[in-house]
Amino acid sequence: FNIVLHPAPELPIVERRNWLIHQHYIRKDYDTCKAIIKELLQETNGMCEYAIYVQALILRLEGKIQQSLELFQSCAILNPSSADNLKQVARSLFLLGKHKAAIEFYHEAARLNEKDWEISHNLGVCYFFIKDFKNAEEHLNIALQISRHDKTFMMLGKIHLLVGETDKAIEVYRRAVEYSPENTELLTTLGLLFLQLGKYQKAFEHLGNALTFDPNNYKAILAAGSMMQTHGDFDVAMNKYRVAACAVPESPPLWNNIGMCFFGKKKYVAAISCLKRAHYLSPFDWKVLYNLGLVHLTMQQFASAFHFLSAAINLNPRMGELFMLLAVALTNLEDVENATRAYEQAVTLDE
């Protein structure tokens, strides 16, 4: 019996080398890719949509956002019915900080493709940047209905926190953790929220889970360590902080907490040297200055204590406790008049 072989379908001349461009692009061989694109665009008088599209992607990777935007706009003119081209134009506008223009293009793309998670998510992010939280929330919820992604959950939670809806934020993060129970960023964020609300058991549970999946997650280490420290387990907390110190040796909160661990163990000189390091890394953090004042008071170095507590008060003048410690320092420096005024200010602020 006879076999009839059909010839391979002839690709139009414009599209003939798209596969080759794609091959080099996904291998990150951008120089070869650019050379082929240049040749192809000369042959086709700049009419090959895919070649222009990939060239724009490469330019964006090189940080040439404006040039890539112009090329994506050319793609959109060559093929106006492609939602993908409009998405890329919008993305470039977003990267240039033109959020309102990006929103228009994303809406245009959404008309061509209603069920695209990425469009809804990015619309939410754009609205977030122009501080239109209501629209941002609406589009992020639509994105979650189409497809559940961790970064959409994170963004939605962030918006709820910004508008002061902590309960809603916790609910969003809970749903997110149910969906991807191994995402350490989500677990840590949820743990920190419970910590702020004083729900220590739940906080510890989530931070513990985060550390199970990523033992070097320094945010979780800091939070778990601070809880242990609050309960007086200084040595256990110090062991946690040792791990974090390898990952983030320049972290002011880390050195502040290590300093206060030494303070708890009555090793005052070590405490001061750690707190001084935290202060050097973050000179405008009033909590570090407060702690330095406290340690110097304990060591009966009242002039130094006065110096650090005054600095803390300049940064945070609404805290009664700072004025109280300042009054203690002034009393020991035998300045009764100013000490009295500091006590009066403390009482006014914190009855």
Side-chain angles (χ1 to χ4, degrees), residues 2-133:
N2 300 323
I3 296 169
V4 180
L5 289 172
H6 288 288
E10 277 291 307
L11 281 170
I13 188 97
V14 178
E15 312 292 343
R16 196 168 286 171
R17 279 148 80 191
N18 284 4
W19 65 274
L20 192 59
I21 294 173
H22 179 70
Q23 212 66 19
H24 286 291
Y25 177 73
I26 58 174
R27 287 181 193 159
K28 296 191 165 71
D29 180 2
Y30 300 134
D31 293 334
T32 316
C33 207
K34 284 198 272 194
I36 299 167
I37 289 170
K38 193 178 176 186
E39 253 177 67
L40 193 59
L41 290 175
Q42 280 170 350
E43 283 171 28
T44 61
N45 294 327
M47 294 303 283
C48 178
E49 181 197 345
Y50 187 71
I52 299 172
Y53 185 86
V54 175
Q55 191 178 13
L57 287 176
I58 293 171
L59 283 170
R60 181 190 289 164
L61 287 170
E62 291 171 346
K64 297 169 184 167
I65 312 291
Q66 185 61 45
Q67 287 156 278
S68 89
L69 168 64
E70 285 157 17
L71 290 178
F72 283 129
Q73 284 170 327
S74 307
C75 290
I77 292 164
L78 283 171
N79 182 3
S81 62
S82 158
D84 221 28
N85 289 339
L86 293 172
K87 269 161 63 175
Q88 295 296 0
V89 171
R91 178 77 187 144
S92 297
L93 287 165
F94 172 79
L95 291 171
L96 289 167
K98 299 176 177 174
H99 301 117
K100 285 181 179 167
I103 287 170
E104 283 175 30
F105 274 97
Y106 275 128
H107 277 304
E108 199 63 43
R111 282 191 204 102
L112 298 169
N113 185 359
E114 285 176 11
K115 288 279 172 226
D116 189 328
W117 158 81
E118 198 185 347
I119 294 175
S120 298
H121 172 83
N122 288 339
L123 269 170
V125 176
C126 286
Y127 278 119
F128 167 78
F129 277 106
I130 61 169
K131 294 193 165 44
D132 181 349
F133 298 133

Side-chain angles (χ1 to χ4, degrees), residues 166-180:
T166 312
D167 294 346
K168 281 186 181 177
I170 286 179
E171 194 45 50
V172 168
Y173 290 129
R174 267 211 181 115
R175 275 165 54 206
V177 167
E178 278 169 21
Y179 169 67
S180 51

Side-chain angles (χ1 to χ4, degrees), residues 94-336:
F94 172 79
L95 291 171
L96 289 167
K98 299 176 177 174
H99 301 117
K100 285 181 179 167
I103 287 170
E104 283 175 30
F105 274 97
Y106 275 128
H107 277 304
E108 199 63 43
R111 282 191 204 102
L112 298 169
N113 185 359
E114 285 176 11
K115 288 279 172 226
D116 189 328
W117 158 81
E118 198 185 347
I119 294 175
S120 298
H121 172 83
N122 288 339
L123 269 170
V125 176
C126 286
Y127 278 119
F128 167 78
F129 277 106
I130 61 169
K131 294 193 165 44
D132 181 349
F133 298 133
K134 192 168 179 292
N135 266 316
E137 189 183 329
E138 187 185 317
H139 282 93
L140 290 168
N141 277 319
I142 293 169
L144 286 173
Q145 283 164 15
I146 298 167
S147 174
R148 286 186 283 182
H149 282 260
D150 293 350
K151 59 180 182 180
T152 310
F153 280 119
M154 284 300 289
M155 198 71 206
L156 188 56
K158 195 174 174 181
I159 288 169
H160 284 311
L161 286 177
L162 274 173
V163 295
E165 298 169 339
T166 312
D167 294 346
K168 281 186 181 177
I170 286 179
E171 194 45 50
V172 168
Y173 290 129
R174 267 211 181 115
R175 275 165 54 206
V177 167
E178 278 169 21
Y179 169 67
S180 51
E182 292 185 19
N183 183 320
T184 51
E185 195 182 350
L186 288 168
L187 287 165
T188 307
T189 308
L190 194 52
L192 287 169
L193 274 177
F194 282 130
L195 187 57
Q196 282 170 5
L197 295 173
K199 298 180 178 176
Y200 298 115
Q201 189 57 46
K202 283 181 175 174
F204 209 75
E205 192 183 308
H206 287 90
L207 294 168
N209 287 342
L211 288 170
T212 308
F213 295 119
D214 176 13
N216 298 328
N217 183 330
Y218 83 94
K219 279 188 182 172
I221 290 173
L222 264 181
S226 73
M227 285 170 71
M228 292 162 184
Q229 205 169 333
T230 309
H231 292 109
D233 297 337
F234 300 119
D235 292 320
V236 186
M238 289 287 259
N239 284 335
K240 291 271 179 221
Y241 294 147
R242 273 195 190 95
V243 181
C246 299
V248 281
E250 305 284 296
S251 161
L254 175 69
W255 287 106
N256 174 66
N257 289 10
I258 293 173
M260 293 320 278
C261 268
F262 280 126
F263 178 66
K265 294 171 72 158
K266 299 192 168 38
K267 294 182 177 173
Y268 301 129
V269 178
I272 285 177
S273 95
C274 291
L275 287 168
K276 285 265 177 80
R277 184 164 186 174
H279 177 52
Y280 169 74
L281 292 166
S282 177
F284 297 111
D285 187 339
W286 68 268
K287 289 180 187 175
V288 178
L289 291 161
Y290 172 100
N291 289 337
L292 275 163
L294 189 63
V295 180
H296 282 294
L297 268 185
T298 310
M299 292 177 76
Q300 299 187 338
Q301 296 174 348
F302 301 114
S304 297
F306 172 79
H307 165 75
F308 289 115
L309 292 166
S310 302
I313 284 170
N314 280 329
L315 294 166
N316 182 15
R318 309 288 320 138
M319 189 178 180
E321 216 170 309
L322 276 170
F323 283 98
M324 179 192 74
L325 291 179
L326 187 70
V328 174
L330 286 164
T331 308
N332 284 288
L333 291 168
E334 293 173 8
D335 182 350
V336 180

